[in-house]
Amino acid sequence: MAGHFAFIASNAGEDGFEFDIDGCRQTFEHFDQDQSGFLEINEVLRLAENIWDTFYPSGPKLDQAAKAALTVEIIRQSDKNHDGKISFEEFVPWYRGTALKYWRMQQAQSEQSHAADASVHQSAMTYPNSWPRGSASAQDEFSFDVEECRSAFNHFDQDRSGYLEVNEILILAEHLWSAFYPHEPPLDNASKAALISDIIRSGDRDHDGRIAFDEFIPWYR
């Protein structure tokens, strides 16, 4: 059932995003496998896998730690009455926001594909391999480059929402580890989960579960 969210791409009209309530209902019913009228944790787990595959079809598969983190984040965003499950009424605003992010990501990818300077695009895609960066002043002191900070933020903000959310922070964590420890083996699940949690704890000053650019600056620096 991977990629069940692919139909949300059709929600975009010529003049902008259009929300498809029928598609929303179809998606809810697809994941509500026991027809209880609620998405419970095992069903949200499958939802998380499908969301990831839709947003990152060519990316790595979610490991267990990242899958658990994304599942918890979906419940945190959706479960307004804190009963540990998601009703259709709670699902609608979450789905609308997710569909909008997907539409924005497609718009951004389309703009990138039509960029005149291919070398700039290639630089943006390879940038995190040498990240984080700065420069030395004449006095051999570290000089912070806010433009490079913005470039790093924009690279990981793949849906152009203006925030780094848990799925994007997962990619940030993997790149961060590779940049600092290029000769070490990849992070195991437990270490990856710990690094994601630490990035959110350090960067998320208003405790909304995501990182805005103004929160990213002091963390990056």
Side-chain angles (χ1 to χ4, degrees):
M1 295 297 180
H4 186 78
F5 266 77
F7 68 84
I8 67 177
S10 65
N11 291 349
E14 291 184 0
D15 298 325
F17 175 78
E18 296 177 4
F19 178 60
D20 182 357
I21 188 65
D22 292 331
C24 180
R25 169 66 74 177
Q26 176 187 348
T27 300
F28 183 87
E29 292 176 350
H30 173 80
F31 289 102
D32 181 20
Q33 291 189 306
D34 61 5
Q35 304 301 301
S36 66
F38 297 93
L39 299 185
E40 295 162 316
I41 190 164
N42 59 317
E43 296 165 330
V44 179
L45 184 64
R46 292 185 63 250
L47 171 64
E49 292 176 310
N50 276 262
I51 283 290
W52 179 266
D53 289 343
T54 298
F55 273 76
Y56 308 106
S58 302
K61 294 296 182 182
L62 283 175
D63 60 30
Q64 292 302 316
K67 194 183 301 180
L70 184 53
T71 300
V72 169
E73 181 64 14
I74 291 171
I75 294 173
R76 186 192 68 79
Q77 292 178 2
S78 306
D79 180 21
K80 301 304 184 183
N81 64 357
H82 308 293
D83 63 354
K85 54 188 179 181
I86 302 171
S87 67
F88 180 67
E89 290 72 19
E90 293 172 319
F91 183 76
V92 170
W94 176 85
Y95 178 95
R96 180 187 289 112
T98 302
L100 178 58
K101 290 173 188 176
Y102 185 73
W103 178 78
R104 285 174 173 167
M105 187 176 74
Q106 287 194 316
Q107 293 294 104
Q109 289 173 345
S110 177
E111 291 170 4
Q112 286 181 347
S113 68
H114 291 89
D117 189 348
S119 64
V120 171
H121 174 65
Q122 180 63 26
S123 175
M125 295 302 293
T126 58
Y127 170 70
N129 292 331
S130 59
W131 178 86
R133 301 188 297 183
S135 59
S137 68
Q139 291 77 29
D140 292 328
E141 295 179 351
F142 177 76
S143 177
F144 176 64
D145 188 335
V146 71
E147 293 303 321
E148 287 188 351
C149 180
R150 168 63 77 178
S151 295
F153 183 88
N154 288 344
H155 175 83
F156 291 105
D157 179 22
Q158 296 189 328
D159 63 4
R160 299 297 187 266
S161 67
Y163 297 92
L164 300 185
E165 292 160 312
V166 66
N167 56 323
E168 296 163 330
I169 294 170
L170 168 63
I171 300 173
L172 168 61
E174 292 173 331
H175 279 290
L176 186 63
W177 178 262
S178 297
F180 275 93
Y181 306 106
H183 304 299
E184 295 294 325
L187 286 171
D188 59 30
N189 291 346
S191 298
K192 192 179 297 183
L195 182 54
I196 292 168
S197 296
D198 186 64
I199 292 171
I200 294 174
R201 180 187 59 79
S202 301
D204 179 23
R205 300 299 183 182
D206 61 2
H207 308 293
D208 64 352
R210 56 188 184 173
I211 300 174
F213 180 62
D214 60 347
E215 295 173 318
F216 183 75
I217 291 174
W219 176 86
Y220 176 95
R221 186 168 188 168

